[in-house]
Amino acid sequence: MAAIRQMMRAADQDYAALLAQPIDTAWLQSYDHQRIVNSFLFNYLKIQDKMGAELFRALLREWRELDDDAMPMIDVLNRLEKLGIIDSVQTWDELREVRNAITHEYPDDEALRLANIQMALDGYRHMQAILHRIEERLSGNATTLPGTAP
């Protein structure tokens, strides 16, 4: 969790900077603006990967919701959805698709880059909400989540 929190703090700064101005092809011409975008996108990729590859299974183990470490990811996501941690499996799949789009983008396609930036900004809001729900659950301040005993 500490690594994800650290990446989120960095991404939060870039996220705020990106939301503070209209992003278009002229704006992207600035090297300083490209650095903000690249930093944000890098952190988006790392956060999404870390949540999916490590955090979700670790949480389910801690909460005694994981029967087998080899549980397929779809089952992990279904359980997280039932617990109210993620909105839906489909939403998480969309966050993963954004990650894949960013990974495979080509810098010379500015329209695609702008679209990917917007998708990442939208997706980041979902990741913030997921982390917030996880932190509430871990701190014991959460109300009873769906799929859990009171």
Side-chain angles (χ1 to χ4, degrees):
M1 277 291 283
I4 291 174
R5 283 188 191 113
Q6 181 179 2
M7 288 182 281
M8 292 288 278
R9 281 191 297 275
D12 285 344
Q13 291 178 7
D14 297 330
Y15 179 75
L18 291 170
L19 290 181
Q21 51 211 326
I23 302 170
D24 57 20
T25 54
W27 185 86
L28 275 178
Q29 299 308 309
S30 163
Y31 177 73
D32 288 336
H33 296 162
Q34 288 179 32
R35 288 182 50 200
I36 294 168
V37 168
N38 291 340
S39 173
F40 175 73
L41 295 178
F42 176 78
N43 281 307
Y44 179 97
L45 297 172
K46 299 305 277 182
I47 293 164
Q48 201 279 334
D49 275 346
K50 198 108 171 123
M51 288 174 115
E54 297 174 21
L55 179 62
F56 289 166
R57 287 179 192 278
L59 291 170
L60 291 178
R61 270 192 301 279
E62 182 174 324
W63 297 333
R64 293 178 174 43
E65 296 285 344
L66 185 67
D67 298 327
D68 180 5
D69 280 339
M71 179 185 280
M73 188 62 177
I74 188 67
D75 295 337
V76 169
L77 295 173
N78 281 324
R79 190 66 192 138
L80 290 168
E81 181 179 349
K82 287 179 183 157
L83 291 169
I85 299 298
I86 62 173
D87 294 329
S88 69
V89 172
Q90 179 181 348
T91 299
W92 183 257
D93 285 345
E94 289 168 3
L95 297 175
R96 184 76 179 163
E97 288 172 19
V98 170
R99 180 218 170 276
N100 291 340
I102 293 166
T103 302
H104 299 292
E105 90 178 6
Y106 298 96
D108 58 334
D109 188 343
E110 289 182 351
L112 178 61
R113 184 142 174 91
L114 289 170
N116 287 343
I117 292 167
Q118 189 56 56
M119 287 189 308
L121 290 169
D122 294 341
Y124 186 67
R125 281 191 287 269
H126 288 286
M127 290 194 299
Q128 287 174 315
I130 291 167
L131 189 62
H132 178 73
R133 288 189 291 265
I134 290 168
E135 289 177 330
E136 280 189 337
R137 173 82 186 257
L138 290 174
S139 71
N141 293 332
T143 58
T144 302
L145 295 172
T148 63

